[in-house]
Amino acid sequence: MADVTLQLLGEPQLCLDGVPLPCRNMGLRLLAILALEGASERLKLADLLWETTTHKALHNLRMTVHHLCLGLGEHAAVLRRRSSFLELDLQRLRVDALSVPEHPDALLSHWRGFLSGQRSRGSEAWLEWAQHTEDRLLGEHIEHLRRAARLHPEPLSGRLRRRARQLSAWLAPAPVPPAPLLLRSSGAESQQAPARGSPPALVGREQVLDAVAAAVERHQMVFLSGVPGMGKTALQAALAPLFGQLVMPVASEVADRAWPYTTIYRALRDLQRGLELGRSLPELPSREVAAHLSRRPEVRRSGDLDPLARPLLAEAFEQPFISWGDDIHHWDDASTLVVARHSPRLLAQSPRAGVINTFRPGEVSAGCRRSILRCIDQGRGVIIPLPPLTLEEVAAVGERFLPGLTDAQVGQLHGYAGGIPGLLVPVLQEAVRRGGLPERLSLGAAEEARLHLGLTLLGAAELDVLRLLALSDGEPLEVDLLSGVLGWPRRSVVGALEGLYQSGAVVGHAVHPPALRQVVLFHAPPPILADLAARLRAARAPAL
């Protein structure tokens, strides 16, 4: 009997005794679904391949089956056709994706991407199914290799490709060149002692980098969330060598919110220049972008930016690059909508591009929030928060600047900076300049000015609540107590507290970080601070 093989690993094709048979892209997709899912209803297949169950979609399915049978000729019986479902005869058809490779080199075909040649024009439903199937097949292969190597069983992480590379390198006889040292954990020893007072390597961000890399490999948009100083921008330098691709920053400014399409126009212009995609868009002031776009014929005909943005983004996403959108909370709502509408779909079709954005949770506009949630609801985006440094990680950073810090000094540093690298490093740099860590820690002028500037962005209600929390120094204050001291209704107090929690200025019952409490008390007008302190004492005093 002739060997009819459906090849899904590597370049997909249908072969008869090793000779490729004529088979269109949609036919290969149909065969892939039937091979891996088993008997499937026609309505389900039409919905998966054409994202609809209309009469036209069912007609397309019938025509796809007809052309498949013509290509198979006398072997058309491998496709069992029923009135309501289709099925493959796996006794007559061999599917290479279902066979487990006996050698790690077989995983090389996976690295090219499951059904890589089928991604370019697939529907959203098809791309989601292909990605899910790819992960499942890789997981099965990795489990097989683990058993073959008699490795101790352990739970698989989400980064299936990375685990496959690690396991394959472990089993392969040829030595693998070591990867560049990107991270320095608290227990790692560097080969060469760094210069005292030099900027530290990334500490405590190993899990964040792993999560970012996993999301990029899943073709998801990444949204890094963190308060100012948490190290969002510092990750950009570490990601470039991690992916080995060009990192294209997308600049943003506070004034961008006032001018529609300013950010996406700047991003398209920078992508054209950085990736050499042809004639570049002209450089324009923010206030002139909307007027310039309205004069372009494609924009004028449709009434929006899609006809201009779609082909430029599609061309860009064919290139190997990482788009890094820093501080997208500054973006205008029209730009975030364009990105949310097109980038997830294009990213799912691109095996070589990635999109990483950073934002501050307390400063996101309503439009930006809707765009982020839209990507997440579609399964095309993931939010990765940047946590503060732990006590052990603060000790690792402090050792880089001041070797021999005591546990008490490390605890003092951790408590003062709240585990925020952007506050911790300047304090240590000042300590190096003075020759040691002072008993009373203080911020440098630049960091203090930045925190004070952040206070000016708060509303009057949020600022008054923050001053009361600073006066209480971590002692719990109930909503009713705050309402009585300020003379406000409970709803106003709750709204102010929610804003402070979202911005990261309050954690638990205390101002965060403690260095911010120092700035709040120092910059509060003395009469206002004295009045709030007197009211707080009176509210706490027991009734006579």
Side-chain angles (χ1 to χ4, degrees):
M1 185 174 65
D3 179 20
V4 184
T5 304
L6 176 61
Q7 177 179 312
L8 296 179
L9 300 185
E11 188 66 26
Q13 56 186 349
L14 185 63
C15 298
L16 177 62
D17 288 334
V19 179
L21 289 172
C23 187
R24 298 180 180 179
N25 289 342
M26 198 60 74
L28 285 172
R29 295 175 195 159
L30 173 62
L31 290 175
I33 295 171
L34 294 176
L36 300 172
E37 300 293 337
S40 302
E41 295 183 354
R42 290 177 180 262
L43 288 175
K44 174 185 175 182
L45 293 169
D47 185 51
L48 190 56
L49 293 171
W50 288 278
E51 295 188 297
T52 179
T53 56
T54 61
H55 175 75
K56 182 177 180 181
L58 292 172
H59 172 73
N60 290 340
L61 179 61
R62 287 193 295 270
M63 295 304 298
T64 299
V65 172
H66 174 71
H67 289 298
L68 266 177
C69 293
L70 288 179
L72 287 166
E74 59 179 332
H75 304 286
V78 301
L79 181 59
R80 296 172 178 170
R81 290 163 285 175
R82 302 292 185 266
S83 59
S84 60
F85 69 92
L86 297 174
E87 185 181 14
L88 286 181
D89 186 352
L90 296 180
Q91 298 297 322
R92 302 186 183 185
L93 178 68
R94 185 170 64 86
V95 184
D96 65 354
L98 301 180
S99 60
V100 179
E102 298 179 357
H103 194 274
D105 289 344
L107 285 174
L108 287 172
S109 58
H110 280 296
W111 299 349
R112 299 170 58 186
F114 176 68
L115 297 181
S116 58
Q118 302 295 300
R119 292 184 183 275
S120 58
R121 291 181 296 277
S123 66
E124 288 284 342
W126 160 260
L127 292 171
E128 290 178 4
W129 177 86
Q131 184 64 55
H132 171 75
T133 305
E134 178 185 357
D135 289 345
R136 177 168 62 85
L137 291 175
L138 273 175
E140 293 171 358
H141 290 312
I142 293 171
E143 285 294 345
H144 170 78
L145 290 175
R146 178 177 288 133
R147 291 193 301 269
R150 295 182 177 85
L151 298 178
H152 188 274
E154 62 182 43
L156 275 176
S157 69
R159 301 192 59 201
L160 293 173
R161 292 181 188 79
R162 180 173 179 268
R163 296 300 300 273
R165 288 197 296 269
Q166 291 175 340
L167 190 57
S168 179
W170 188 85
L171 293 172
V176 179
L181 181 63
L182 299 178
L183 304 173
R184 179 179 182 270
S185 61
S186 57
E189 295 294 336
S190 57
Q191 297 179 353
Q192 181 179 1
R196 188 168 183 241
S198 60
L202 287 177
V203 175
R205 295 295 180 246
E206 295 91 338
Q207 292 184 353
V208 172
L209 284 174
D210 281 349
V212 170
V216 170
E217 289 183 354
R218 291 194 303 266
H219 307 286
Q220 290 181 308
M221 294 182 69
V222 177
F223 298 95
L224 286 174
S225 167
V227 299
M230 199 58 81
K232 300 182 297 295
T233 306
L235 285 173
Q236 180 179 339
L239 286 169
L242 183 65
F243 291 106
Q245 294 169 252
L246 176 67
V247 176
M248 292 291 300
V250 179
S252 60
E253 302 172 0
V254 179
D256 285 351
R257 286 189 185 182
W259 306 102
Y261 298 115
T262 296
T263 312
I264 186 62
Y265 181 86
R266 187 188 302 121
L268 293 173
R269 185 196 66 204
D270 292 346
L271 284 174
Q272 279 191 319
R273 293 178 179 177
L275 300 177
E276 298 180 354
L277 300 180
R279 184 178 179 182
S280 298
L281 296 170
E283 188 163 353
L284 297 171
S286 299
R287 61 181 180 275
E288 298 180 10
V289 168
H292 171 77
L293 292 174
S294 64
R295 291 193 293 268
R296 296 184 68 99
E298 62 269 44
V299 176
R300 187 168 62 249
R301 284 194 299 268
S302 64
D304 59 35
L305 194 64
D306 284 6
L308 174 65
R310 191 186 305 114
L312 292 177
L313 287 172
E315 186 180 5
F317 274 82
E318 294 176 359
Q319 311 298 319
F321 80 104
I322 299 293
S323 172
W324 181 275
D326 209 8
D327 291 341
I328 64 170
H329 49 272
H330 293 324
W331 290 16
D332 62 277
D333 291 348
S335 293
T336 57
L337 182 60
V338 172
V339 171
R341 193 158 52 213
H342 297 295
S343 292
R345 176 180 57 82
L346 295 171
L347 193 61
Q349 300 173 11
S350 171
R352 302 188 293 172
V355 176
I356 303 172
N357 299 312
T358 71
F359 71 95
R360 301 173 188 172
E363 301 181 29
V364 179
S365 66
C368 184
R369 187 180 298 111
R370 285 194 299 268
S371 298
I372 293 175
L373 292 176
R374 174 175 178 168
C375 295
I376 294 174
D377 291 342
Q378 294 174 350
R380 296 299 186 190
V382 58
I383 295 179
I384 300 177
L386 282 174
L389 299 180
T390 64
L391 195 65
E392 292 76 13
E393 291 161 354
V394 169
V397 177
E399 188 68 20
R400 188 70 176 265
F401 288 88
L402 296 170
L405 286 174
T406 64
D407 292 344
Q409 289 175 319
V410 171
Q412 184 186 17
L413 283 169
H414 181 265
Y416 183 74
I420 299 178
L423 298 179
L424 175 65
V425 171
V427 170
L428 287 169
Q429 288 174 335
E430 179 65 17
V432 170
R433 190 181 67 83
R434 294 185 176 186
L437 198 66
E439 293 184 5
R440 178 178 172 81
L441 300 179
S442 60
L443 292 173
E447 287 67 39
E448 183 177 344
R450 182 171 61 79
L451 289 178
H452 182 219
L453 182 62
L455 295 178
T456 64
L457 301 177
L458 298 177
E462 294 173 339
L463 196 55
D464 279 345
V465 172
L466 190 64
R467 288 166 178 165
L468 280 174
L469 294 175
L471 287 169
S472 70
D473 196 14
E475 185 177 344
L477 295 180
E478 297 179 354
V479 174
D480 289 336
L481 179 63
L482 291 172
S483 178
V485 170
L486 296 170
W488 300 346
R490 284 176 54 89
R491 181 181 300 178
S492 300
V493 175
V494 170
L497 283 172
E498 286 182 346
L500 292 172
Y501 276 107
Q502 289 179 3
S503 66
V506 174
V507 174
H509 295 278
V511 179
H512 182 80
L516 178 61
R517 174 179 178 270
Q518 200 177 76
V519 175
V520 170
L521 296 177
F522 180 79
H523 288 279
I528 294 178
L529 199 62
D531 179 62
L532 289 174
R535 288 198 221 171
L536 186 59
R537 285 193 301 270
R540 283 175 167 172
L544 297 178

